[in-house]
Amino acid sequence: MLDSLHIKNFRCFEDLTIPSLGRVNLIVGKNSVGKSSILEAIYIFANRGNRTAIMDILSSRNEFFRTDDIIKDIFFNRECPNKNKDDNNLTIGNGEDRNFVYISCDKENHEYIKTGFQNESDPFLQEALSLKERLIFRSEAIPCSIVHTDVRPEDDLAFLWDEVSINSEEDSIKEALKIITPKLVNIIFVKSPQENKQERIAIVKLKGESKGIPLKSFGEGMSRLLQIFLHSFQARGGFLLIDEFENGLHYSIQEDVWEKLFNLAKELDIQIFATTHSEDTIKAFCKVALASEEEGRLIALGRSPAPEDNNRIVAISYDEKEIAVISRTGMEVR
């Protein structure tokens, strides 16, 4: 589990440090301050700089057309107020640089990747970076699952459901879906009845109903909830990333969803990072965080007002005592 986070030269972040993280973290801030970029950075960190993981991120933003200079152009040449144009080094890891992903490009666009538990300034790495060839050093990836803002096709969710079913853990997800549909008895995935389609669709069985009902008949909320909890089990022992938590979820159920996620974080040994624009989501998170044994952190991103920072993005991490003050006073943190 990350206890802090340091991101340098990634998208809009010149040099961002979040000094303290919890088991469950909610990231807030205005548009274009990098909330989603933090999730992407953690995804790259968990996958140890794997090129496929970077391609996944680019595809999610429709940036795949620039893959000829995937590292140099996408991650190092973004406009930042204080950006050193000669600084082509990306670092993602904890604040002590003892567990990090380090990527560098030289002027000829040779790519170097190193990860592990060594300091980025160690002689071995410096010697590797001086060589005119591609050198990649990776340690084992950490489980990581990301829930994007859109609801994924049901055929994709079917594969995640199969993994949960193999481990006989589907009852936990059925129970979670009762947050929206209390009469739910079962959910199964079946082949689509449409001709020439091989996809599977989700069918829900309700108490007292003789026939199953397609999941999509219940609206986006049910699909979103299923997606979040399926990804929770896929992230076991690693990171669960949720972009725009509130999408498809009515404010009245968000406390129940957060309570389930806090419990799963402990049960599955996962660290959760979510983003939001919603005041209702923040209120629900704060209430559950204060009641849970697991530590919750509220992380606010914004532009520094200090003249010497030249509008640089900075982060404030609120612990549970400060969250209590926010809840009691209604202090604005969005």
Side-chain angles (χ1 to χ4, degrees), residues 30-300:
K30 295 180 179 179
N31 291 328
S32 300
V33 294
K35 297 186 297 297
S36 297
S37 294
I38 286 183
L39 303 188
E40 292 176 338
I42 295 170
Y43 189 73
I44 291 174
F45 168 79
N47 286 279
R48 302 314 201 195
N50 185 283
R51 202 175 187 86
T52 300
I54 296 174
M55 288 294 296
D56 289 343
I57 287 172
L58 297 180
S59 295
S60 71
R61 295 210 193 203
N62 290 331
E63 294 174 327
F64 49 82
F65 59 89
R66 303 186 64 183
T67 55
D68 52 332
D69 291 318
I70 179 175
I71 300 296
K72 192 171 184 180
D73 284 349
I74 298 300
F75 297 126
F76 299 123
N77 290 341
R78 289 295 176 108
E79 290 299 321
C80 294
N82 301 324
K83 181 74 171 69
N84 180 348
K85 301 301 182 183
D86 295 323
D87 186 2
N88 283 340
N89 302 319
L90 175 148
T91 304
I92 302 170
N94 70 11
E96 299 178 352
D97 286 331
R98 290 187 54 80
N99 187 7
F100 65 92
V101 171
Y102 180 86
I103 304 176
S104 178
C105 284
D106 62 22
K107 292 181 179 180
E108 297 177 7
N109 201 30
H110 291 116
E111 174 190 337
Y112 309 101
I113 299 176
K114 185 178 180 181
T115 68
F117 293 86
Q118 301 180 51
N119 191 288
E120 65 182 61
S121 62
D122 72 77
F124 177 70
L125 177 58
Q126 295 304 311
E127 181 181 356
L129 295 180
S130 69
L131 299 176
K132 296 297 182 181
E133 59 180 297
R134 179 181 170 127
L135 295 174
I136 299 180
F137 308 90
R138 288 198 178 94
S139 54
E140 186 175 354
I142 301 170
C144 184
S145 194
I146 184 166
V147 181
H148 293 288
T149 55
D150 59 333
V151 175
R152 307 307 300 162
E154 288 185 58
D155 200 45
D156 292 348
L157 300 182
F159 287 102
L160 299 180
W161 178 263
D162 290 342
E163 292 182 13
V164 172
S165 297
I166 287 173
N167 294 319
S168 301
E169 294 172 320
E170 65 270 30
D171 285 347
S172 179
I173 293 180
K174 294 175 189 176
E175 196 62 33
L177 293 178
K178 290 181 181 180
I179 292 173
I180 292 180
T181 309
K183 293 175 64 177
L184 184 142
V185 175
N186 199 7
I187 178 172
I188 60 172
F189 283 83
V190 300
K191 184 179 176 181
S192 172
Q194 291 182 267
E195 293 184 9
N196 303 320
K197 282 202 171 185
Q198 300 299 315
E199 294 89 352
R200 288 189 291 169
I201 62 173
I203 301 296
V204 174
K205 178 68 169 62
L206 298 181
K207 185 177 181 180
E209 298 287 341
S210 59
K211 293 184 178 180
I213 304 170
L215 177 72
K216 286 190 175 180
S217 295
F218 294 88
E220 183 181 341
M222 277 283 280
S223 297
R224 177 71 170 175
L225 208 59
L226 177 60
Q227 181 173 334
I228 287 173
F229 289 120
L230 284 175
H231 280 275
S232 299
F233 282 86
Q234 190 181 48
R236 186 195 305 269
F239 305 116
L240 173 65
L241 314 175
I242 307 172
D243 205 5
E244 295 186 17
F245 173 89
E246 68 274 15
N247 280 10
L249 302 180
H250 193 263
Y251 77 92
S252 62
I253 68 167
Q254 290 190 24
E255 279 186 31
D256 292 331
V257 178
W258 277 122
E259 184 176 357
K260 180 67 174 177
L261 285 173
F262 268 81
N263 291 336
L264 283 177
K266 180 179 181 180
E267 177 186 336
L268 302 176
D269 187 26
I270 55 179
Q271 188 173 21
I272 298 175
F273 295 85
T275 70
T276 189
H277 294 108
S278 167
E279 183 179 1
D280 291 323
T281 299
I282 296 171
K283 289 179 178 179
F285 171 84
C286 290
K287 184 174 181 179
V288 175
L290 293 174
S292 173
E293 294 180 358
E294 298 301 309
E295 183 182 15
R297 284 269 177 173
L298 192 62
I299 299 162

Side-chain angles (χ1 to χ4, degrees), residues 294-311:
E294 298 301 309
E295 183 182 15
R297 284 269 177 173
L298 192 62
I299 299 162
L301 298 180
R303 301 279 179 180
S304 172
E308 61 272 19
D309 284 337
N310 196 19
N311 212 33

